[in-house]
Amino acid sequence: PEILPHIFEPFFTTKLGARGTGLGLASVWGTVQRHGGSITVQSRADEGTEFRIWLPLAPEGLEPERLPQTGKASPGNKKLRIFALDDDLQVCEVLEAMLHSLGHQVELFTNFDDFWTRLKFGANLDLLILDLDMPGVTGIEALKRLRISYPDLPVMAASGHFSTSALQELKTLGVETCLRKPFGALEIGQAIQREARL
């Protein structure tokens, strides 16, 4: 009961150490609010937890957003080989689905060591999408190591929170595109087009 009033607050987490950023439910709340909806939660010991989300109906006659068919790149776009590095497996899976829907090949990594090993064994990639809020080797630290061996690799940063100092450091390290979580397929598709100059 004492935790429940705080669960939608940014950076509030009950996870020990650096295992959680406290941005998951804050992102959900923000997304629901931006769509004119509301979210409530009830939780009782030994009974479980129930979230309810209310969203307004779409205006009559509104056309749904059209995205490229799965596995096919948009006209004029080329298929890219994209690596995504994010410690949250669920985020990786959503990211993979979005990138596949846009016609790109994807490899996912949930920790820096696996990504670095794959890179050192001759991986050929066109773009890296890098989460900044990872435990252990942070996104900024990963980027600094990456720039030593791969100074020209295009990188897009993703985070639920960008401080002014982080944005400045990213720019210094050659990262121009910063995706604020949560983002959708249309948003990331447009960012990829700008980044890769398709």
Side-chain angles (χ1 to χ4, degrees), residues 16-193:
L16 299 176
R19 293 179 58 203
T21 62
L23 289 171
L25 286 176
S27 296
V28 171
W29 184 88
T31 301
V32 171
Q33 290 292 311
R34 282 195 298 276
H35 287 83
S38 62
I39 181 171
T40 62
V41 59
Q42 290 184 339
S43 186
R44 295 183 183 86
D46 301 321
E47 291 185 23
T49 301
E50 179 180 83
F51 288 84
R52 290 188 178 190
I53 297 175
W54 285 269
L55 296 170
L57 292 173
E60 192 173 340
L62 185 69
E63 288 295 318
E65 187 177 278
R66 301 293 180 187
L67 293 175
Q69 295 180 2
T70 302
K72 296 181 180 179
S74 300
N77 294 353
K78 64 178 181 180
K79 184 178 285 191
L80 299 180
R81 185 164 186 80
I82 299 174
F83 282 13
L85 177 55
D86 194 307
D87 66 299
D88 189 323
L89 183 58
Q90 287 183 322
V91 170
C92 281
E93 290 172 349
V94 171
L95 195 52
E96 181 179 37
M98 287 193 293
L99 293 172
H100 277 159
S101 77
L102 295 167
H104 303 296
Q105 297 177 7
V106 189
E107 282 193 50
L108 306 173
F109 302 89
T110 56
N111 66 76
F112 179 77
D113 290 339
D114 289 347
F115 162 73
W116 193 246
T117 300
R118 179 73 177 90
L119 211 54
K120 288 298 183 183
F121 277 92
N124 182 23
L125 70 154
D126 301 302
L127 175 67
L128 170 65
I129 300 173
L130 177 64
D131 175 37
L132 294 190
D133 308 310
M134 296 183 295
V137 179
T138 67
I140 294 290
E141 291 167 351
L143 188 55
K144 287 178 178 177
R145 290 173 61 177
L146 192 64
R147 284 302 182 224
I148 295 171
S149 302
Y150 305 92
D152 299 322
L153 177 67
V155 177
M156 294 195 316
S159 177
H161 166 78
F162 288 103
S163 66
T164 303
S165 59
L167 288 170
Q168 185 58 49
E169 193 162 14
L170 287 168
K171 193 168 185 178
T172 302
L173 291 166
V175 176
E176 297 290 338
T177 304
C178 299
L179 291 166
R180 188 175 299 277
K181 296 178 180 178
F183 49 81
L186 185 62
E187 186 177 357
I188 195 172
Q190 291 171 341
I192 289 171
Q193 286 186 348

